[in-house]
Structures are given as C-alpha cells and as structure tokens.
Amino acid sequence: MAAAQYTTIKVRLYPDAAQAELFEKTFGCCRYIWNRMLADQQRFYQETGQHFIPTPAKYKAEAPFLKEVDNQALIQEHNRLSQAFRVFFKKPETFGHPNFKRKKDGRSSFTACNHVFSSGPTIYTTRDGIRMTKAGIVKAVFHRRPQAWWKLKRITVSRTPSGKYDCSILYECGGRTPEPVIPRADTTVGLKYSVPHFYVSDDGAMADPPHWLKQSREKLAGLQQKLARMEPGSRNYQEAVRKYRLLHEHIANQRRDFIHKESRRIANAWDAVCVRADDLTELSQGMTQGDLRDAGYGMFRECLRYKLERQGKPLILVDRYYPSTRTCSACGHVEAAVSYRRRTWTCPACGTVHQREINAAKNIKTEGLARFRA
C-alpha cells in the first residue's frame, strides 16, 4: 500500500551580500507579522471572547516593507500561528500559549512552500545552489542528493547564532508501508538511561559518548571562565562570544552526529526496542550528577522511534513508574528501595547479585514485551 512519506535534506547556504540582506529582512518581517497577528488575536479575544487571527495581507498597507520579501514566508507564519493555537486549544496542559518573538532570542528562520506552474517550480535545486523566490540562486553545499522522483515541498532557511545559514529541504518521497515486524525476545533490546554511559542495554552493552564530545565540553568550560573575567562590550569580549557560540554549535553538531549514528545502528540491528517512558523534564530536575537535556536522550528516543517506524519495527514504551531498578530480573522480587549510588545490589529473596542498570534494562525489556503481547 502506497503512503506519503517525507524526508528532509539539510544543506549549508553561502548567500552573497544582497541575498544575506534579503534573508535578514525576511527574518525581521516574519517576527513582525507574527507579533502583530498575535497581538491582534489577543485584543480581539478580549473584546469579543472569540478566536480570530488576521491574515498577513491586512498589514501590508501600513507596513509596505512587507512587500519586499517572499509572500510565502509571511503566509507560513500565519499557518504556524494557527497551528500553535490549535495544539494549545487541544492540549493546553502540554502545549503552552503562543508567545511573542524577540530578535535577541537567537535563532531566526522562515519557511516557503514550492508551487509548480506551467512556467516551472518556484523553488528548485541546481548543481551547486537553490533557486528561491526573490533571492535567485543561492549557493549551497549538498552532502546528499535527492532521488529523481522526490517532490520538493518546501524549504526552511535558518541562521544560527554564529551567523551561518542553513536550508532544510522537505521532500515527498513515494514508498510502501513496511510490513509490521513482530518482536521476539531474542530480537528485542531493552535500554536504560544512564548518566555516565548514556544508556545501558539488557545485554550489558554501553554507549559511552565519544571522547571528543567530552573534550569539547571541557574547552567550553574554560572559555566560559575567560568570558566571566572580560569587560562586556569590549573587542576581546565580542571575539570571545563569537568563539563561544561557534563552540556551542560544534558541540551540538557532535552530539547530533553521535545520536543519529547510534540510533541508526540500533534500529538496523534489532526488531524492537523497549525504553521507559520517563518524563525527561522531571527527570533532569531531579539529577545532581548530570544534565539529561545536555546529553540529548530525548532526541535519541525520538530518532529511535521514527527510524524503527520506517522499517515497521516498534518502539515499546514502558510505564514511567514501573520499578525497573528495584525489581529482581531473576525472581521478580520488588525491593523496597535501591540507592542510585550503588552500582550493584543483592536480591534478598534469591540471592542474585545485580548490576543495577543492567538489571533495570532487563526488566524494561521483559515488561515491554509483556505489554506488547497483551
């Protein structure tokens, strides 16, 4: 059965001075139109008690600079704001109320959809660039090329805090829905989050983050100390801030590279993966020896989900309150408490000596398979 599937290719852009200026104008116009639409929505709701978001066309007469940028970028801001309110009304306890955008928040972006006319598409790729509306052909470096039958749907241009421009190209690629894979005990792996090892599997394997990531973090700590002793606003301070942003971006790229490679390896090697559905925000607040958000485990779990899904394999989530650490994987006895400071503990019922994290991973696997078959 054919189903619409999508994939994204991210490329680095090298715009000339005029194109970079147009990008900056588009970022500013998108912020402006978002804030105006949100302010008018709030005022209209206070006056009438009804929800209404004006379209960008309303503001072009009083703000003629909006005509200088691609109209598609403004339309997409309206769509994004509408989507933000839809998810907020649907699950207000999960999705917060849309907020105003500020220039100093750092990352800026805009999205434009591709439209195909008789004269050709509005957005297309060339050998060494991307053709965009009003910007023309922007030089780009492709590390991966799309297949000939893929359809370009839209692009998102973004600028990092260090001043680099990226473009994420969304393609629709036809494909068949994979046949569901029924997991077995010998083709399923259980994973337990670990502060020192990133994760520990039920067979004792550990995914220690690469040494170069640790080295970069140590270098970042030294740079932060230098920044604290500098005079804010000085030339040396500004240069140190630039290096600080570049290093932060480098660490994020290193973390992302590690997570994608590790999740791909697991998705290809196993028919199912069992993990505990921990609330990562709550878990990170209770940690004193590590930062869960800095480790990127949430991103790792999401990468596992979609990579397994594309192969028809399940990511099985175990209840977050399941006592995987305190349960003996040999006899099923549940201990009253097991200190997280202890690496091993002995079951008082059967006398089995457990490695705490490996035992937890085994229990997560057993519980996940039982829930899947139920």
Side-chain angles (χ1 to χ4, degrees):
M1 178 181 177
Q5 295 184 1
Y6 298 90
T7 190
T8 302
I9 295 179
K10 191 171 185 179
V11 301
R12 176 79 180 276
L13 297 179
Y14 294 91
D16 57 28
Q19 291 168 338
E21 182 181 0
L22 177 62
F23 287 167
E24 294 301 322
K25 286 182 179 180
T26 308
F27 296 148
C29 288
C30 287
R31 282 193 301 269
Y32 173 85
I33 207 71
W34 174 284
N35 292 337
R36 286 297 307 271
M37 290 188 299
L38 181 56
D40 287 347
Q41 185 275 339
Q42 292 179 348
R43 182 169 58 252
F44 187 82
Y45 184 80
Q46 291 175 354
E47 295 174 355
T48 66
Q50 296 180 350
H51 171 71
F52 173 73
I53 302 177
T55 62
K58 173 186 176 182
Y59 306 98
K60 289 188 176 181
E62 59 184 84
F65 55 85
L66 294 176
K67 300 178 182 179
E68 299 177 11
V69 302
D70 185 5
N71 186 53
Q72 278 294 315
L74 306 182
I75 293 175
Q76 290 303 313
E77 286 300 303
H78 181 269
N79 294 340
R80 284 181 176 180
L81 185 58
S82 301
Q83 176 64 14
F85 272 108
R86 279 195 295 269
V87 297
F88 169 69
F89 292 143
K90 186 177 181 179
K91 290 185 178 181
E93 68 280 0
T94 303
F95 301 96
H97 189 278
N99 296 322
F100 292 98
K101 293 184 178 182
R102 301 180 301 175
K103 184 177 181 179
K104 66 178 183 180
D105 287 340
R107 194 174 182 89
S108 300
S109 66
F110 69 85
T111 300
C113 289
N114 181 30
H115 295 280
V116 181
F117 300 103
S118 58
S119 58
T122 57
I123 303 172
Y124 57 85
T125 61
T126 64
R127 186 177 63 85
D128 57 355
I130 304 175
R131 192 273 178 188
M132 305 180 190
T133 304
K134 294 199 174 184
I137 297 179
V138 183
K139 184 180 178 182
V141 175
F142 294 83
H143 300 285
R144 178 188 174 196
R145 287 286 180 175
Q147 300 296 327
W149 60 87
W150 289 6
K151 296 180 180 179
L152 196 156
K153 304 299 290 184
R154 65 171 181 261
I155 61 171
T156 298
V157 178
S158 58
R159 175 176 50 78
T160 64
S162 62
K164 299 176 182 177
Y165 293 94
D166 296 317
C167 182
S168 298
I169 312 172
L170 178 69
Y171 288 95
E172 179 182 350
C173 49
R176 293 184 176 273
T177 302
E179 293 293 331
V181 177
I182 305 301
R184 306 191 312 269
D186 60 331
T187 61
T188 301
V189 64
L191 302 182
K192 166 72 170 65
Y193 173 70
S194 171
V195 174
H197 304 293
F198 191 68
Y199 75 73
V200 175
S201 66
D202 62 279
D203 58 1
M206 302 175 185
D208 293 307
H211 66 279
W212 36 258
L213 185 57
K214 180 180 178 182
Q215 291 173 350
S216 295
R217 288 172 177 166
E218 292 173 351
K219 186 176 180 180
L220 181 66
L223 191 56
Q224 287 174 323
Q225 292 177 353
K226 291 182 180 180
L227 268 174
R229 295 192 293 265
M230 290 183 177
E231 182 69 25
S234 64
R235 182 177 299 177
N236 289 338
Y237 181 84
Q238 293 175 355
E239 178 64 20
V241 168
R242 188 186 69 84
K243 292 180 179 179
Y244 177 78
R245 290 175 176 173
L246 283 172
L247 185 56
H248 252 302
E249 184 177 310
H250 182 62
I251 291 175
N253 292 336
Q254 288 179 322
R255 184 191 305 115
R256 192 178 300 110
D257 178 75
F258 166 71
I259 287 173
H260 276 290
K261 288 180 178 178
E262 191 63 24
S263 59
R264 171 55 61 194
R265 185 189 65 81
I266 294 175
N268 290 345
W270 300 94
D271 287 347
V273 179
C274 301
V275 296
R276 201 167 66 174
D278 293 311
D279 185 325
L280 301 179
T281 301
E282 180 181 330
L283 192 61
S284 64
Q285 292 173 350
M287 286 187 173
T288 58
Q289 297 180 343
D291 191 344
L292 179 62
R293 291 166 293 186
D294 187 55
Y297 189 74
M299 178 184 177
F300 172 73
R301 202 166 65 181
E302 177 60 22
C303 287
L304 266 180
R305 182 197 61 76
Y306 81 79
K307 288 175 181 176
L308 287 166
E309 186 179 83
R310 289 181 179 181
Q311 301 181 51
K313 302 175 181 179
L315 176 67
I316 306 172
L317 298 179
V318 175
D319 185 80
R320 55 184 289 201
Y321 295 112
Y322 173 67
S324 59
T325 303
R326 298 185 289 111
T327 302
C328 174
S329 59
C331 68
H333 170 77
V334 180
E335 185 70 356
V338 175
S339 173
Y340 283 93
R341 296 179 181 273
R342 297 170 55 188
R343 292 299 174 190
T344 63
W345 66 281
T346 303
C347 176
C350 65
T352 305
V353 179
H354 294 291
Q355 293 286 338
R356 181 175 58 81
E357 292 179 328
I358 297 177
N359 174 71
K362 290 180 179 178
N363 289 325
I364 290 173
K365 173 182 174 179
T366 303
E367 179 69 12
L369 287 173
R371 287 176 175 268
F372 182 82
R373 294 165 181 166

